[in-house]
Amino acid sequence: MTEEMMSLRTLLEKSADADLLREMVGFAAQRLMELEVESLTGAAHGERSPERINHRNGYRDRDWETRAGTVELRIPKLRKGSYFPAFLEPRRMAEKALAAVIQEAYVQGVSTRSVDELVKAMGMTGISKSQVSRLCVEIDDKIGAFLDRPLEGDWPYLWPDATYVKVRQNGRIVSVAVIVAVAVNSDGRREVLGLTVGASEAETFWTAFLRTLARRGLRGVKLVISDAHEGLKAAVAKVLHASWQRCRVHFMRNVLAHAGKQGRRVVAAFIATAFAPEDAETARSQWRQVADQIRPKVAKLAALMDAAETDVLAFMSFPKDHRPKIHSTNPLERLNGEIKRRTEVVGIFPNEDAITRLVGAILLEQNDEWAVQRARYMTLETIAPLNDDPFVKLPAAAA
């Protein structure tokens, strides 16, 4: 039976009916994806079900190179989280990087958390240093090309953020900062711009990182969105000369800590009224009014609002359509969560190169996923006025 099927396949591939085989492969793959998404959402396409846990959000096109030819797939998208069929890339870059990091720790005799169990589970016994070295070089070359690529055009919005991982240094286990920068370009698309690893988030560290991005071509930055870090704020003013937006979500957490359990809901509702106005001046006026109302009862909270007014309301001076995406670091939360999930598998990294290898691979995959998305993160019409290049700005609409 197997030989008959192979003969049939050979005949189809050589005949004018090769399209039939390609269509069969495409149909099977599409059906498999639909079934997987059905299990992820808890309901069939268009079905109303109390068991539903997620919803579909359209499709994105992807060409799949097979022995039967190029198959055009429509990959389902989800409203919450993401879906990518495993059969397209059996060994994605991040998985290879994770294997390389674990192997490197193993052959060096570094006792990372559960490394022995991980090695056995992944079938990686009997690994030589030369094998690990070859794998690392292969991955590092690809990640290095990605992280050092020239940056072209304007980048109006920039989100830098840091997360911490543990690494061995000179016989000690220390925490180091992993800095990631994501930006939106003048085409309204998101890209990962850079990655670096350092001892802390000092101003000198941030300054060096931003200067590296500038040397690669970063320009046209209008707004930098981050949490409240004075070193980063100073570096932004020094290198990019851009406005700084303090993450609204982080600020609210800090403020509500001073409101007491009973007053948090009321205070949150008061402050939220300052984000409702259409224009920046009205928002600032409402902000000061709320601070004055709170001052008699919670003077410390009002003082915090006074000091943070300019930084928390910076986003109000930008297009209304962009404000939900630029008032906080939320656009980075999913990416940071994935970095945390993958790095926690390793526990303690053998060196900083291993951190760059794994996190860089995660960023490369995310960047590729953003690149194939049909919808732009921000529309051309709304982002064009922020472009510094007058030759690529959209013309104003006729009156």
Side-chain angles (χ1 to χ4, degrees):
M1 182 65 179
T2 303
E3 292 181 356
E4 292 176 357
M5 291 297 295
M6 292 178 64
S7 298
L8 174 61
R9 176 175 175 174
T10 302
L11 177 64
L12 286 172
E13 289 179 339
K14 292 181 178 180
S15 70
D17 292 329
D19 288 343
L20 175 62
L21 179 60
R22 186 163 56 250
E23 289 177 7
M24 291 171 61
V25 171
F27 174 81
Q30 199 68 46
R31 184 56 182 157
L32 175 60
M33 290 189 292
E34 296 294 341
L35 291 172
E36 288 181 339
V37 170
E38 183 177 321
S39 66
L40 292 174
T41 58
H45 192 285
E47 178 187 5
R48 296 181 179 273
S49 170
E51 307 298 325
R52 180 182 289 278
I53 56 176
N54 203 343
H55 291 79
R56 292 167 175 264
N57 190 29
Y59 294 87
R60 68 174 184 271
D61 296 330
R62 167 84 180 239
D63 289 340
W64 182 29
E65 299 297 333
T66 72
R67 293 183 179 180
T70 302
V71 177
E72 296 179 357
L73 297 178
R74 301 183 69 225
I75 302 176
K77 296 163 61 179
L78 302 176
R79 287 187 187 176
K80 299 178 183 177
S82 63
Y83 165 73
F84 192 85
F87 63 79
L88 286 184
E89 294 185 50
R91 288 205 68 190
R92 301 179 68 184
M93 179 64 69
E95 299 304 328
K96 292 175 70 176
L98 176 59
V101 171
I102 293 173
Q103 287 176 336
E104 187 174 14
Y106 185 69
V107 299
Q108 291 182 8
V110 177
S111 179
T112 60
R113 179 160 49 105
S114 304
V115 68
D116 290 332
E117 289 79 2
L118 284 169
V119 168
K120 293 175 183 176
M122 298 176 78
M124 297 188 301
T125 56
I127 312 157
S128 69
K129 290 187 178 182
S130 61
Q131 289 174 321
V132 174
S133 179
R134 285 195 299 272
L135 178 59
C136 291
V137 168
E138 173 194 343
I139 297 170
D140 291 348
D141 287 346
K142 293 181 180 179
I143 294 172
F146 166 63
L147 295 177
D148 294 332
R149 74 192 188 282
L151 303 176
E152 301 176 350
D154 287 351
W155 303 84
Y157 300 122
L158 177 70
W159 288 265
D161 200 13
T163 188
Y164 284 81
V165 299
K166 296 186 182 298
V167 64
R168 287 187 179 272
Q169 287 184 353
N170 301 321
R172 298 167 51 239
I173 299 174
V174 298
S175 291
V176 293
V178 179
I179 306 295
V180 175
V182 170
V184 170
N185 61 23
S186 54
D187 288 333
R189 295 192 178 278
R190 276 186 296 179
E191 287 192 30
V192 175
L193 297 194
L195 162 70
T196 191
V197 180
S200 68
E201 292 184 74
E203 179 184 339
T204 53
F205 180 59
W206 279 113
T207 300
F209 176 59
L210 294 179
R211 282 177 175 165
T212 300
L213 295 181
R215 284 194 294 269
R216 288 172 49 209
L218 178 65
R219 63 179 175 87
V221 179
K222 300 294 189 299
L223 185 67
V224 178
I225 306 100
S226 72
D227 57 10
H229 194 286
E230 291 301 322
L232 173 56
K233 185 178 179 181
V236 167
K238 183 185 301 183
V239 180
L240 301 178
H241 310 292
S243 299
W244 178 63
Q245 167 65 39
R246 181 175 179 178
C247 175
R248 200 173 86 181
V249 175
H250 286 85
F251 172 76
M252 290 298 293
R253 289 174 187 165
N254 295 338
V255 165
L256 296 181
H258 297 280
K261 291 184 178 180
Q262 301 300 323
R264 288 178 183 174
R265 182 171 297 180
V266 175
V267 170
F270 273 1
I271 297 177
T273 61
F275 303 129
E278 296 286 329
D279 62 283
E281 187 55 42
T282 305
R284 286 192 287 268
S285 176
Q286 179 65 19
W287 182 273
R288 289 190 289 268
Q289 184 177 341
V290 170
D292 290 339
Q293 290 177 332
I294 294 174
R295 203 177 310 278
K297 293 186 177 180
V298 194
K300 190 171 183 179
L301 193 155
L304 287 174
M305 291 187 63
D306 293 340
E309 177 185 334
T310 301
D311 297 332
V312 177
L313 295 179
F315 76 105
M316 292 296 298
S317 300
F318 290 82
K320 181 181 177 181
D321 291 340
H322 298 175
R323 293 174 192 172
K325 297 175 179 177
I326 63 173
H327 69 66
S328 72
T329 58
N330 281 353
L332 267 179
E333 292 303 315
R334 177 182 171 275
L335 183 56
N336 282 338
E338 184 65 10
I339 291 172
K340 275 293 186 185
R341 185 179 72 85
R342 299 289 187 94
T343 55
E344 284 176 356
V345 173
V346 180
I348 303 169
F349 285 82
N351 49 53
E352 290 188 3
D353 288 342
I355 299 174
T356 301
R357 185 174 304 124
L358 178 54
V359 178
I362 297 169
L363 298 178
L364 176 56
E365 286 186 357
Q366 180 60 77
N367 200 71
D368 287 348
E369 186 174 325
W370 285 339
V372 299
Q373 288 179 347
R374 179 178 298 176
R376 301 173 192 270
Y377 192 62
M378 295 175 179
T379 65
L380 277 173
E381 291 79 8
T382 60
I383 206 165
L386 298 176
N387 201 316
D388 286 339
D389 189 346
F391 294 103
V392 296
K393 287 186 178 181
L394 294 178

